[in-house]
Amino acid sequence: MNIMRFVVPKSMVEYVVADSTVRQALEKMRYHRYAAIPVIDRDGKYVGTLRNDDLLNYFLNEGGFDSRAAERCGVTDIIDPAYVKPVYHNASMDELIERVKEHNFVPTVDDRGCFIGIILRRDILNYLLKFYKENENDR
């Protein structure tokens, strides 16, 4: 099965540019009420995912919320680039299901590593539910 049918394209996804500050990222995540957001570099390549945990750890390590310090620190300094590995556009459904078991969304990249969108856990679950119901009716 082609996993591209599940991709929410980059043009419809909120993301943070890699050279954004912690404060800019925090404001964007707060505005959209996100717990995590993809980080993309200026060339369009997927860098990682910024999570609430990354922000919390940053502020705890700083000893509190200091908006001026958050304006000087970049998001790439606080993210764990290994947290959410992207899937390639030609990944198998099995690989995709393994990834969505762990994360609310899975970043999707092309052969060059350029970010093309995300696949949401709820879309995979809805597909599997539909498949399950169809098979249940056949019994």
Side-chain angles (χ1 to χ4, degrees):
M1 162 174 268
N2 186 348
I3 67 163
M4 291 300 292
R5 70 182 289 186
F6 299 110
V7 172
V8 177
K10 178 181 177 181
S11 62
M12 297 177 66
V13 174
E14 291 295 330
Y15 57 88
V16 175
V17 179
D19 57 6
S20 297
T21 66
V22 169
R23 183 173 177 172
Q24 290 169 328
L26 174 63
E27 288 173 358
K28 188 172 227 179
M29 289 176 68
R30 184 174 173 214
Y31 177 80
H32 292 286
R33 297 179 180 215
Y34 289 162
I37 192 166
V39 179
I40 313 301
D41 71 12
R42 292 285 179 192
D43 296 326
K45 296 200 184 314
Y46 173 74
V47 175
T49 296
L50 178 67
R51 305 168 293 152
N52 282 342
D53 287 353
D54 298 323
L55 294 168
L56 179 61
N57 286 331
Y58 168 76
F59 289 116
L60 287 173
N61 291 336
E62 288 292 310
F65 181 78
D66 179 358
S67 62
R68 290 184 193 242
E71 289 172 357
R72 291 187 299 271
C73 184
V75 292
T76 55
D77 296 331
I78 68 168
I79 64 170
D80 176 5
Y83 175 67
V84 180
K85 293 284 188 193
V87 293
Y88 285 91
H89 63 95
N90 57 356
S92 69
M93 192 66 176
D94 289 345
E95 182 180 356
L96 179 60
I97 290 171
E98 286 300 318
R99 299 285 175 87
V100 297
K101 286 185 344 187
E102 302 298 323
H103 306 288
N104 289 330
F105 69 87
V106 179
T108 308
V109 297
D110 63 14
D111 292 332
R112 300 171 300 149
C114 290
F115 180 75
I116 57 176
I118 61 173
I119 298 175
L120 300 170
R121 177 189 289 165
R122 75 162 182 247
D123 292 342
I124 300 303
L125 289 174
N126 285 335
Y127 171 78
L128 293 173
L129 180 62
K130 180 181 168 190
F131 183 75
Y132 172 77
K133 286 180 177 179
E134 287 173 0
N135 285 335
E136 190 175 67
N137 292 336
D138 290 343
R139 291 184 195 166

